[in-house]
Amino acid sequence: MSETGKKSLVVFQDKTIRRTLHNDEWYFAVVDVVAVLTDSVNPTDYIKKIRRRDPILAQGWGQIVTPLSIETAGGVQKVNCANVKGLFRIIQSIPSPKAEPFKQWLAQVGYDRVLEIENPELAQERMKELYEQKGYPKDWIDKRLRGIAIRQNLTDEWKARGITDERDFAILTAEISKATFGMTPSAYKIYKGLNSPNQNLRDHMTDLELIFTMLGERVTTELSKQEKPTSMPGHKSVAQRGGRVAGNARKETEKELGHSIISEENHLSNDELPGIGEGEDK
């Protein structure tokens, strides 16, 4: 099987589940997941029974499930697939005892999220624990969490000034990154050898890279608050200037240190868990 084919498979409880990337997100073969959770001799027929038992699921089936081509050992096949959110909805309709741990986990996740809404500090503690589980040092985690807060302040400022389209967020983020590091986030990911859409660029930055990222975004936020731009050209100008402040500081730092702080270093050895962050890499 080709390398792409191998990446199209994931092993769960010694059983193979086919998957494919679609719209920068993993989609999994529904029939494979049902087979794992039910041990049914005919998982396709089992899915039909699930839909008959759950009319609401059946009614929204077209929004939950997407037919996608998946490369496996037997070649490329068209298979009904769902993302993680869709799979969770399907699992809720599976009465098999093997599915019960997933249902309990979903209930706990929902409860935790309610608590985090009431007390945002809990969300920060959860994120810190996830980074610790991935093996990041505590001083790096502190910078990363501070960077997330600064990023959130910036996106809130953009939204307050009329920026709502994800593409516009990506364009403005790219302008800050280019002015700070001379690269857009997508080019930076390539530079660091990051190929998966689930790999968050900032989760692979060094301390200094995080610091200058924060500086560019914080200055951009302050400039936007002062100047209150109302058009995309105005926002781009502010983003470029905010990034330029960080870029000049980076160059001065590099002159003193005698080497570039733009690093190919990454944390791919810690990349088994999904990327953590605020979705800022565009």
Side-chain angles (χ1 to χ4, degrees):
M1 186 186 301
S2 70
E3 194 63 29
T4 302
K6 292 176 183 177
K7 292 179 180 178
S8 299
L9 304 175
V10 63
V11 177
F12 178 76
Q13 293 184 350
D14 298 325
K15 295 185 179 180
T16 298
I17 297 176
R18 291 166 292 178
R19 66 179 181 176
T20 186
L21 278 173
H22 176 65
N23 291 336
D24 291 338
E25 188 175 8
W26 282 116
Y27 276 67
F28 301 84
V30 174
V31 68
D32 294 348
V33 174
V34 170
V36 168
L37 294 182
T38 65
D39 287 329
S40 172
V41 295
N42 190 341
T44 300
D45 186 58
Y46 193 96
I47 292 172
K48 293 178 182 177
K49 292 178 181 178
I50 292 174
R51 296 176 64 182
R52 284 198 296 268
R53 286 196 302 261
D54 189 338
I56 296 178
L57 174 66
Q59 185 177 1
W61 191 255
Q63 287 73 48
I64 296 172
V65 172
T66 303
L68 297 172
S69 297
I70 298 181
E71 181 187 347
T72 65
V76 177
Q77 300 179 11
K78 202 86 166 181
V79 181
N80 278 337
C81 299
N83 59 13
V84 173
K85 180 180 178 180
L87 287 179
F88 283 168
R89 175 62 184 89
I90 294 169
I91 289 168
Q92 289 173 355
S93 297
I94 297 178
S96 167
K98 295 186 72 174
E100 191 59 30
F102 286 89
K103 296 177 183 179
Q104 293 178 7
W105 179 79
L106 285 174
Q108 183 64 49
V109 168
Y111 177 67
D112 290 343
R113 294 301 176 273
V114 170
L115 293 180
E116 289 169 2
I117 291 172
E118 296 176 349
N119 183 0
E121 288 184 6
L122 293 176
Q124 188 177 54
E125 287 302 314
R126 178 177 60 85
M127 190 173 295
K128 185 180 294 186
E129 290 175 3
L130 288 173
Y131 277 119
E132 289 175 350
Q133 291 170 12
K134 295 182 78 171
Y136 289 95
K138 284 183 168 52
D139 58 342
W140 183 95
I141 294 173
D142 289 340
K143 294 183 184 67
R144 182 69 178 96
L145 294 181
R146 181 57 186 154
I148 290 173
I150 288 173
R151 173 67 185 186
Q152 186 61 57
N153 289 338
L154 175 58
T155 56
D156 287 346
E157 170 64 18
W158 281 340
K159 290 174 184 177
R161 304 293 171 208
I163 299 296
T164 57
D165 194 302
E166 285 295 321
R167 289 172 297 182
D168 291 338
F169 282 110
I171 290 170
L172 296 176
T173 300
E175 292 296 337
I176 298 173
S177 179
K178 283 190 294 184
T180 303
F181 299 107
M183 288 185 282
T184 63
S186 57
Y188 215 149
K189 289 181 74 171
I190 294 171
Y191 181 76
K192 283 182 173 286
L194 307 175
N195 302 311
S196 169
N198 291 328
Q199 292 165 337
N200 189 307
L201 171 61
R202 302 185 196 202
D203 284 354
H204 297 272
M205 284 184 166
T206 64
D207 281 25
L208 284 173
E209 287 174 312
L210 285 176
I211 288 169
F212 288 111
T213 297
M214 286 189 278
L215 178 59
E217 294 195 331
R218 186 60 194 169
V219 173
T220 299
T221 302
E222 292 301 315
L223 287 173
S224 180
K225 287 180 177 179
Q226 289 181 15
E227 300 180 11
K228 300 178 175 55
T230 57
S231 65
M232 192 58 181
H235 281 292
K236 286 181 69 174
S237 174
V238 167
Q240 291 164 354
R241 287 158 54 209
R244 195 178 305 129
V245 171
N248 290 336
R250 173 185 64 81
K251 293 171 185 175
E252 285 297 316
T253 301
E254 290 174 340
K255 187 183 301 182
E256 292 294 328
L257 294 177
H259 62 79
S260 174
I261 65 99
I262 298 174
S263 171
E264 293 179 332
E265 179 181 335
N266 58 51
H267 297 276
L268 289 177
S269 60
N270 298 326
D271 222 37
E272 307 211 347
L273 294 175
I276 306 171
E278 60 280 16
E280 72 274 20
D281 301 334
K282 301 296 182 183

